[in-house]
Amino acid sequence: MVNLSSFSSIHFLFYSLVISLSSTVICGGIETDHEALLKIKSLITRDPYGALTSWNDSLHLCDWSHVYCGKRHRRVTYINLSSQGLEGSLYPHVGNLSFLRTLSLGNNSFQGAIPQEVGHLYRLRQLYLYQNKFKRVLR
Ligand SMILES: *[C@@H]1O[C@H](CO)[C@@H](O)[C@H](O)[C@H]1NC(C)=O
Ligand SMILES: *[C@@H]1O[C@H](CO)[C@@H](O)[C@H](O)[C@H]1NC(C)=O
Ligand SMILES: *[C@@H]1O[C@H](CO)[C@@H](O)[C@H](O)[C@H]1NC(C)=O
Ligand SMILES: *[C@@H]1O[C@H](CO)[C@@H](O)[C@H](O)[C@H]1NC(C)=O
């Protein structure tokens, strides 16, 4: 015999899980990536080689320097800003780049905390943060 009360509490657990997953996993669209990259740029206080100069609306963001989009879904999948002499801190909106597989910020002067939103990047396979001034704590 099916125990109805445990059956419905399993359903309840299942739906709560779906709801909590969909509230942390931001899928959005290319506008989400666009906003996230401009927020990230806004906290860079020094860009000696102009690595982020093309990060403006004269080009589609998939044509911005150091940014690559997936061919099929046209979402940002790869960002490589290593060794660009960048100074600044990392904006929590980085966690909204939900198609990102590789993020390399190595050998720059990023400071402050590594945003805990990086943990939302569930497709992330490669994360390079070496040689920066990040604090070792998550915020
Ligand atoms: C916007 O990006 C274009 C293309 O890289 C660049 O030539 C231009 O200088 C940029 N504009 C600003 C205001 O940075
Ligand atoms: C990032 O770019 C540098 C050179 O511009 C390259 O040496 C390095 O392998 C790249 N990193 C990744 C993770 O693709
Ligand atoms: C670190 O970046 C600087 C440019 O800002 C470059 O000259 C240097 O070769 C890089 N070092 C390594 C180990 O990649
Ligand atoms: C992106 O992330 C920030 C901070 O993590 C959040 O407050 C914001 O609502 C998100 N924006 C979008 C468009 O998903």
Side-chain angles (χ1 to χ4, degrees), residues 65-129:
S65 315
H66 313 288
V67 173
Y68 299 87
C69 293
K71 285 196 169 65
R72 191 164 42 85
H73 46 65
R74 304 302 283 165
R75 298 289 303 275
V76 174
T77 56
Y78 172 97
I79 298 174
N80 186 352
L81 288 168
S82 64
S83 301
Q84 296 298 326
L86 301 174
E87 286 178 27
S89 45
L90 187 56
Y91 210 97
H93 271 64
V94 68
N96 296 356
L97 295 166
S98 46
F99 282 72
L100 199 60
R101 299 177 74 84
T102 301
L103 175 62
S104 180
L105 303 174
N107 183 29
N108 285 291
S109 298
F110 281 93
Q111 54 183 328
I114 299 167
Q116 65 183 11
E117 287 78 1
V118 170
H120 297 171
L121 298 172
Y122 66 103
R123 289 189 173 87
L124 199 64
R125 296 292 175 272
Q126 297 180 297
L127 175 64
Y128 300 95
L129 301 175

